[in-house]
Amino acid sequence: QVQLVQSGPEVKKPGASLKVSCKASNYTFTNFGIIWVRQAPGQGLEWMGWISPYNGNTNYAQNFQGRVTMTTDTSTTTAFMELRGLRSDDSAVYYCARGLKLRASWYYYWGQGTLVTVSS
Amino acid sequence: EIVMKQSPATLSVSPGERATLSCRASQSVTSNLAWYQQIPGQPPRLLIYGASTRATDIPARFSASGSGTEFTLTISSLQSEDFAVYFCQQYTNWPLTFGGGTKVEIK
């Protein structure tokens, strides 16, 4: 069965950088896109961006432009989301999810989420 | 950016009753609309895509309709496991956008 397994919880100080991984298995990694979504405590879902492992194309939400970088490693079928200049309001659960290869879509497979706490 | 608005924010329903949730888009998304269910501590679970197509393993008590800017999710007879938060999401254009959610709670 398709699995997306994310890295573990993180505690970061303001101004630090974060890198979350999303290990994909049991499907052809380059045939599907990956999105990153975050959810602050008690809040809704916020789309951060998308990457196509097929060609490396990315599309970032305006709110994160200049602060986020999404990459993939096809040799390990892992997607990464790096967020820089962390602030307290970046404290959230971060999810990866699998969608269509080259465009926006719906998302059936999700990672388990990575809890990130930003605190001095 | 397409803004998605859901109503009501909270819906109080008794088990066995019907629940009707709404989602409105600020501009047409044609049928590029998905619905998710989220239980606290879990990732979203896809219920519906293409505005009305149930995802794999989703029970028939979940149905959805709509196109353009107005969409509805109906749960015909609420079971205990259906009390959760429901989100709509459009995928017509980047950026992907989600509605703010409707919490379905036990009356």
Side-chain angles (χ1 to χ4, degrees):
Chain A
Q1 69 287 17
V2 171
Q3 283 194 307
L4 299 172
V5 179
Q6 297 183 221
S7 47
E10 303 259 18
V11 179
K12 295 289 186 180
K13 294 200 181 301
S17 294
L18 166 74
K19 193 167 187 176
V20 180
S21 66
C22 172
K23 166 72 175 172
S25 60
N26 300 319
Y27 72 93
T28 302
F29 186 59
T30 51
N31 280 358
F32 297 88
I34 295 282
I35 63 165
W36 291 89
V37 171
R38 76 178 187 181
Q39 187 171 37
Q43 301 301 307
L45 300 167
E46 182 180 20
W47 177 75
M48 300 180 68
W50 164 88
I51 183 165
S52 173
Y54 172 71
N55 56 15
N57 283 359
T58 55
N59 191 321
Y60 299 141
Q62 186 141 14
N63 284 351
F64 299 97
Q65 290 275 359
R67 250 192 352 129
V68 71
T69 301
M70 295 176 187
T71 56
T72 59
D73 182 340
T74 56
S75 68
T76 61
T77 65
T78 303
F80 300 92
M81 186 282 298
E82 181 181 24
L83 188 62
R84 299 175 293 278
L86 291 170
R87 309 183 289 249
S88 58
D89 62 0
D90 290 318
S91 296
V93 177
Y94 289 74
Y95 294 103
C96 61
R98 189 193 86 164
L100 296 181
K101 180 162 70 173
L102 294 174
R103 68 173 183 85
S105 69
W106 60 94
Y107 297 90
Y108 184 85
Y109 294 104
W110 291 72
Q112 82 277 19
T114 295
L115 177 63
V116 174
T117 303
V118 181
S119 173
S120 54
Chain B
E1 169 175 324
I2 300 174
V3 178
M4 308 300 293
K5 291 194 174 174
Q6 291 187 242
S7 61
T10 304
L11 188 60
S12 298
V13 186
S14 299
E17 288 189 342
R18 181 186 198 91
T20 302
L21 290 66
S22 295
C23 174
R24 175 176 290 179
S26 61
Q27 63 190 77
S28 177
V29 300
T30 62
S31 294
N32 295 322
L33 192 284
W35 289 94
Y36 299 86
Q37 176 195 66
Q38 190 178 33
I39 292 167
Q42 296 185 18
R45 174 194 182 198
L46 178 69
L47 299 175
I48 301 284
Y49 63 94
S52 61
T53 302
R54 275 193 302 278
T56 303
D57 294 332
I58 300 304
R61 65 180 180 273
F62 291 92
S63 63
S65 62
S67 66
T69 62
E70 301 281 344
F71 301 88
T72 300
L73 174 70
T74 302
I75 312 170
S76 60
S77 175
L78 274 155
Q79 307 297 300
S80 57
E81 61 267 30
D82 300 335
F83 292 96
V85 180
Y86 293 82
F87 295 97
C88 59
Q89 173 231 324
Q90 68 79 22
Y91 52 92
T92 279
N93 288 327
W94 303 116
L96 295 186
T97 46
F98 293 88
T102 292
K103 181 180 180 181
V104 177
E105 65 176 23
I106 299 175
K107 187 173 182 180

